[in-house]
Amino acid sequence: SFITATSPMEVDDDLEADSGGVGGSQLDEIPDEIRANLLRLVGSVDEVESAFDAVMRQPYEERTADMTPLEKAKFDLTFLYGMNALYWVYLRCQGQDPSKHSVRSELDRVVGPMRRVQAEADKARQPRIDVDAAKRFVKAGMWRAAHDKARQRRLEREQAAAAAADEKAIGDENEEANV
């Protein structure tokens, strides 16, 4: 039978009840390590049950009224996957192999849309590029490069003209000195 205990003492009581009271407590026969895992399992089941109850208490329309379509899709798929995963665990607890059960194909079926929704969520979080601003940056960079190139050419022409003027002046001085 399924353990419905919420505390270690109730786990003891449930296991004793399962044994029919014959031969003492079954919990005494369970090693401490396994007993600790069993108690954690019981606590986890209680947490899942209370979370599930909280979700199920509120009508779907109220629960999803403030959600975006992407958030609704995430919620629905997560809930569906969680329910199937819980059924998987239930089958394992019953000693059945869930990998050979239809729940496996249902879990696989839900994974595809979950990946697509996650990809959309990731896409929504990516930074947006302001195309107009990018064009302005490129145009300004190109103008600056062209302006710098023109300034360099002008500077080179001025330096060449100054050098030519200096040579002419030196040539004129030499000519005057020779006369």
Side-chain angles (χ1 to χ4, degrees):
S1 78
F2 190 73
I3 297 175
T4 58
T6 57
S7 71
M9 293 305 292
E10 290 179 32
V11 170
D12 277 333
D13 294 343
D14 279 356
L15 289 174
E16 282 181 32
D18 285 348
S19 69
V22 179
S25 172
Q26 284 184 345
L27 201 55
D28 291 338
E29 298 171 14
I30 298 175
D32 291 338
E33 182 180 300
I34 295 173
R35 186 179 312 138
N37 288 338
L38 179 63
L39 294 175
R40 277 197 305 275
L41 173 66
V42 169
S44 296
V45 167
D46 289 341
E47 287 178 31
V48 168
E49 184 179 4
S50 58
F52 181 73
D53 286 344
V55 168
M56 294 306 293
R57 264 189 235 121
Q58 190 177 17
Y60 179 80
E61 291 77 21
E62 287 179 25
R63 192 173 343 118
T64 59
D66 297 333
M67 293 183 183
T68 66
L70 186 62
E71 290 171 334
K72 280 182 186 179
K74 259 183 159 178
F75 175 81
D76 291 342
L77 290 168
T78 302
F79 189 75
L80 182 60
Y81 189 86
M83 292 301 299
N84 283 297
L86 285 174
Y87 191 66
W88 177 284
V89 171
Y90 171 76
L91 290 173
R92 293 291 294 195
C93 289
Q94 296 299 313
Q96 296 181 26
D97 184 7
S99 64
K100 296 177 182 169
H101 192 276
S102 63
V103 72
R104 168 139 187 158
S105 63
E106 189 66 20
L107 284 168
D108 292 341
R109 186 183 71 81
V110 174
V111 169
M114 287 179 83
R115 286 189 181 130
R116 286 192 300 274
V117 166
Q118 187 60 45
E120 285 298 316
D122 292 345
K123 194 165 133 183
R125 283 184 289 217
Q126 288 179 344
R128 300 279 181 225
I129 295 175
D130 185 349
V131 176
D132 293 332
K135 286 179 182 177
R136 289 191 303 268
F137 276 110
V138 170
K139 188 176 180 180
M142 290 170 65
W143 179 84
R144 230 179 262 128
H147 181 70
D148 290 345
K149 196 173 190 179
R151 186 183 324 155
Q152 182 67 30
R153 277 193 233 126
R154 188 174 59 243
L155 184 61
E156 288 171 359
R157 279 193 309 263
E158 289 173 0
Q159 288 173 347
D166 286 343
E167 284 180 22
K168 185 176 180 189
I170 291 175
D172 287 345
E173 286 177 11
N174 287 341
E175 210 175 279
E176 284 180 11
N178 287 338
V179 176

